[in-house]
Amino acid sequence: MTQLTKGAQAALLAAIVGALCLLLEGVAPWLVQFPKAWVLPATDWVGAGVEWFLLLIKPAARAFSALLFYPMEAASAALNQTPWPLLIAAATALGWMLGGLRMALMALVGLGFVLASGYWSEGMNTLALVAVSVPLALLIGGGIGILANEYPRIRGPVQATLDVMQTVPTFAYLTPLLVLFGFGPVVGLIASAIYAAPPMARNVLLGLQRVEPEIKEAAVMSGGTRLQQLFQCEIPSAGRQIMVGVNQCLMAALSMVIIAAVIGGFDDIGWEVLLTMRKAQFGQSLLAGLVIVIFAILIDRMSGTLTEDRRHRHDPRVAWAILGLGVLASVLFWGSLGSAEDYTLFNPVADRVDAGLSAFTTANAAALTALKNNVMFYVLLPLRIGLDQAVLPFTWGFAWTPAMSAALFAAGAALGLLCAWRGHLALGLMILIAAGMLETGISQLPWPFVLAGAGALAWVAAGRGLALLTVVLLTTILVSGLWERALLSLYLSGAAVFACTLLGGGIGLASALSPTVWRVVRPICDMLQTIPLFVFLIPVLMVFQIGEFSAFLAIIAYAIVPMIRYTRHGLTETPAEMIEAATASGATRWQMLRDVRAPYAAPSILLGLNQTILYAFAMLVIAALIGTTGLGQSIYLALGKADVGLGISAGAAMAILALIADRIVQGFAEDRRRALGL
């Protein structure tokens, strides 16, 4: 008898558990619905424990908050009181030094747009928060990275902590910080520093680990102390990787400053975006969002040049001349410059956007409503609650009957038997499981089936250790009373990831096959990766208003880029010798793609899927602002009520889901790399 593969064993276990739950639902309803009597008051315990700890350190935290208030105010005053021609000239001169004429023009045009938008003061306040939070994040992250490098024993716990920090949703940071530091802009500053520190720590650690052994040996042989070896030899040698960390730290800080505007109450761009969104002033909201995009692009491009091995040196005299022109303009036209707030050239454009949007939505109301309703009634709703409950005369035109359920399972079983007969037992069982999930709905899945299925999948991906960890972590969500909300989050993020996989994979494939397509797609991907999360909500709200469909589209827009990039990268990086061997054997272009490029690209594509999953979970919490349910909504509600227990518990539950998905996909990617001998 042929021994079952690991995949077949895992699928068989999940299928048996799922079938038993459905068959015994009538006599043992607790197999489907976890009894409330079994739920532990974990949220209350977490809230009481954290609040006790926060009250203990609250005096020191408030003192630290008061201390940070002064540099933030100083930075804000310096940026707001400096004449705008001088600031634009300084940014243009910096752009010239870092990237030449192209980057200088980018800075000039970008800041010119900020000035003309009427959001100059708000923009400077945002930059003031970034200017203070980034050095703090660099200091914290750099210190953590150096400590983890110097003391290998703490390296594992540090990396696990960084994993948790980067998978915990951004809003979850704000609830305990609100209790600890109070309401105000300093909370955003501290949240930005905490959120931006992990990328710096990771890159410092990675850079120091990659220092060539010869460099370390030379430093030791020269008789230097350990501090001299570290700061005079190893850190300079790791400079490029550390500058990558600086770039990511800057982008993370800017992204978090916008999110922290929810509780900051500071007159910055984030607050303007939130305020105009709430007032349904989508033209102004889009205008403020474009200011954020410009800041993100300028910061990304300028700091990105510091990671290059060889940067072209540009004549510093040109930079000094540009700066001199800025000083001259400020002095000569001091009295006639006017306030930066007076320059509102784009307000008529924003008004026309609102008018045009109203006209567009009115003219196309039927088509837009049909699109939204069709996706909701025929895709999202069945995925969430299952065909058994979603198929109704009101939506589908007929009612779902037990005979239809039997037919669905029979079709799944027949297709599964066909796959098994052809030697693909695991695939056949997965088809049968998929039929059951489609009939039941993701949010209605029996909890033993989810635990068994996730544990079995983790076992196939990375062995018993990950399987045990997966079951234990999911059980903590189950007994904490957050299970239903976790499944709702899993449903929406899963649907978005599936859409990103199909659409992003297709675009990545087209980009790999056609350089012309990639030339069109690449700048769009660059733009999407520099847009802060908040801004993705604006265009979907403008067209589809508040609702789950708008959140679904926003998640796709944010999470699709990694799938496109990694798919294209994997398909274009096939070794030349493999291509030559396939060509010599007479393979067609399709055979080359299917049998050579795609298998070799599998690890890269799986890595793209991994990043897409993490991006989807990150965006899920932001999407709670426009009408999602699940853990994201719980985190947002906890923030409004300052409910530390609910905020941390829901944030931890979402981090658990992201962490499990991350480890499972990484396991499959590592397995593919081993199979390819990489």
Side-chain angles (χ1 to χ4, degrees):
M1 183 177 177
T2 305
Q3 186 176 3
L4 295 179
T5 63
K6 288 182 69 174
Q9 294 177 45
L12 184 60
L13 173 64
I16 291 173
V17 173
L20 287 175
C21 289
L22 292 178
L23 290 173
L24 299 176
E25 181 179 3
V27 296
W30 56 268
L31 284 173
V32 177
Q33 192 75 26
F34 191 74
K36 292 184 179 180
W38 295 2
V39 173
L40 300 176
T43 299
D44 297 334
W45 294 346
V46 169
V50 172
E51 286 182 4
W52 172 82
F53 176 72
L54 294 180
L55 288 174
L56 192 65
I57 64 172
K58 194 172 184 178
R62 291 298 171 96
F64 182 63
S65 173
L67 189 65
L68 284 178
F69 180 78
Y70 295 105
M72 189 193 67
E73 281 292 301
S76 179
L79 288 171
N80 277 292
Q81 293 178 14
T82 301
W84 58 262
L86 183 56
L87 283 178
I88 294 177
T92 305
L94 180 61
W96 168 265
M97 292 297 295
L98 293 175
L101 179 61
R102 184 177 179 182
M103 193 163 291
L105 288 175
M106 186 185 296
L108 178 63
V109 173
L111 290 185
F113 177 87
V114 174
L115 177 68
S117 70
Y119 289 116
W120 181 265
S121 177
E122 292 84 357
M124 294 304 104
N125 288 337
T126 295
L127 290 182
L129 288 173
V130 173
V132 179
S133 64
V134 166
L136 190 59
L138 294 177
L139 186 64
I140 295 171
I144 292 172
I146 291 172
L147 282 175
N149 178 72
E150 293 299 298
Y151 300 97
R153 289 184 179 180
I154 68 170
R155 193 173 299 162
V158 164
Q159 289 181 330
T161 304
L162 294 177
D163 285 343
V164 171
M165 289 179 68
Q166 289 194 294
T167 51
V168 169
T170 48
F171 268 134
Y173 284 99
L174 301 182
T175 309
L177 291 177
L178 180 64
V179 175
L180 196 58
F181 296 102
F183 183 86
V186 175
V187 181
L189 189 155
I190 296 171
S192 299
I194 295 173
Y195 182 66
M200 186 63 187
R202 285 189 184 280
N203 282 279
V204 168
L205 178 58
L206 181 61
L208 292 175
Q209 287 177 325
R210 287 183 174 178
V211 174
E212 298 292 336
E214 294 81 6
I215 295 176
K216 296 181 180 180
E217 292 171 5
V220 172
M221 294 298 292
S222 66
T225 64
R226 181 57 195 141
L227 286 178
Q228 289 173 327
Q229 296 169 27
L230 181 65
F231 287 97
Q232 295 180 18
C233 294
E234 295 180 20
I235 289 180
S237 299
R240 185 185 179 192
Q241 190 66 47
I242 292 173
M243 292 314 300
V244 171
V246 173
N247 171 268
Q248 294 183 7
C249 183
L250 281 163
M251 297 303 293
L254 179 62
S255 176
M256 189 63 186
V257 161
I258 304 305
I259 294 169
V262 174
I263 61 170
F266 194 44
D267 190 19
D268 62 350
I269 289 295
W271 184 251
E272 286 296 323
V273 171
L274 187 64
L275 195 63
T276 49
M277 280 174 56
R278 286 173 174 171
K279 293 179 179 179
Q281 296 174 343
F282 293 118
Q284 287 294 336
S285 184
L286 184 62
L287 188 60
L290 289 175
V291 172
I292 300 172
V293 173
I294 287 170
F295 284 151
I297 292 174
L298 288 178
I299 290 173
D300 179 55
R301 296 295 186 272
M302 288 187 176
S303 61
T305 61
L306 302 177
T307 66
E308 299 173 2
D309 282 333
R310 294 182 179 179
R311 287 192 296 116
H312 181 69
R313 293 185 177 275
H314 302 280
D315 192 344
R317 292 175 295 180
V318 176
W320 285 112
I322 295 172
L323 195 59
L325 286 174
V327 173
L328 187 63
S330 301
V331 171
L332 291 179
F333 303 102
W334 180 268
S336 58
L337 284 175
S339 173
E341 285 75 15
D342 297 335
Y343 297 90
T344 54
L345 302 182
F346 290 108
N347 278 356
V349 177
D351 294 337
R352 283 198 292 272
V353 167
D354 280 333
L357 175 64
S358 298
F360 173 79
T361 52
T362 301
N364 300 278
L368 294 174
T369 303
L371 173 62
K372 181 166 66 173
N373 289 342
N374 285 336
V375 174
M376 282 298 301
F377 292 146
Y378 300 118
V379 180
L380 294 181
L381 199 59
L383 283 176
R384 184 171 70 183
I385 61 176
L387 292 171
D388 189 22
Q389 299 183 50
V391 178
L392 302 169
F394 172 71
T395 54
W396 288 59
F398 60 89
W400 188 262
T401 64
M404 293 178 182
S405 295
L408 176 64
F409 281 113
L415 191 56
L417 286 173
L418 178 62
C419 292
W421 180 66
R422 292 189 173 184
H424 303 290
L425 178 59
L427 177 60
L429 289 168
M430 289 172 62
I431 291 173
L432 186 59
I433 291 171
M437 293 176 63
L438 186 60
E439 202 270 346
T440 305
I442 294 175
S443 67
Q444 311 291 326
L445 290 175
W447 59 269
F449 167 75
V450 176
L451 292 181
L457 189 62
W459 174 65
V460 175
R464 295 179 181 177
L466 182 59
L468 180 61
L469 179 65
T470 297
V471 173
V472 170
L473 290 178
L474 288 177
T475 302
T476 61
I477 300 177
L478 182 65
V479 300
S480 67
L482 296 171
W483 186 254
E484 292 181 5
R485 282 171 274 189
L487 289 183
L488 287 171
S489 297
L490 193 62
Y491 131 75
L492 188 57
S493 57
V497 167
F498 182 74
C500 288
T501 303
L502 294 180
L503 184 60
I507 295 173
L509 173 61
S511 301
L513 296 176
S514 171
T516 302
V517 172
W518 179 235
R519 280 195 292 270
V520 174
V521 170
R522 184 177 181 179
I524 298 174
C525 289
D526 289 342
M527 182 189 70
L528 290 175
Q529 282 197 304
T530 51
I531 296 176
L533 281 71
F534 240 105
V535 184
F536 283 94
L537 304 182
I538 300 171
V540 293
L541 276 179
M542 290 171 65
V543 179
F544 295 105
Q545 307 304 316
I546 289 175
E548 196 169 89
F549 180 67
S550 297
F552 176 68
L553 292 181
I555 295 170
I556 292 174
Y558 181 65
I560 196 173
V561 175
M563 201 66 211
I564 296 173
R565 285 192 180 277
Y566 283 93
T567 300
R568 186 254 173 195
H569 175 76
L571 292 172
T572 56
E573 293 300 313
T574 308
E577 56 270 19
M578 294 179 67
I579 300 295
E580 292 170 3
T583 304
S585 66
T588 64
R589 189 180 187 187
W590 166 248
Q591 290 172 327
M592 181 90 69
L593 180 66
R594 183 191 63 190
D595 300 328
V596 180
R597 291 185 182 273
Y600 188 85
S604 179
I605 295 172
L606 284 171
L607 183 57
L609 177 62
N610 171 278
Q611 293 298 300
T612 294
I613 291 171
L614 294 180
Y615 276 39
F617 275 111
M619 189 65 192
L620 190 62
V621 183
I622 309 300
L625 292 169
I626 58 172
T628 65
T629 53
L631 294 172
Q633 186 187 51
S634 298
I635 294 171
Y636 185 62
L637 292 176
L639 181 62
K641 299 176 182 177
D643 188 340
V644 179
L646 179 59
I648 291 181
S649 298
M654 187 166 284
I656 285 171
L657 296 179
L659 196 63
I660 290 172
D662 172 62
R663 292 297 184 267
I664 289 175
V665 175
Q666 280 191 26
F668 281 116
E670 183 61 30
D671 183 63
R672 288 301 306 156
R673 279 193 290 267
R674 284 197 299 267
L676 293 168
L678 300 177

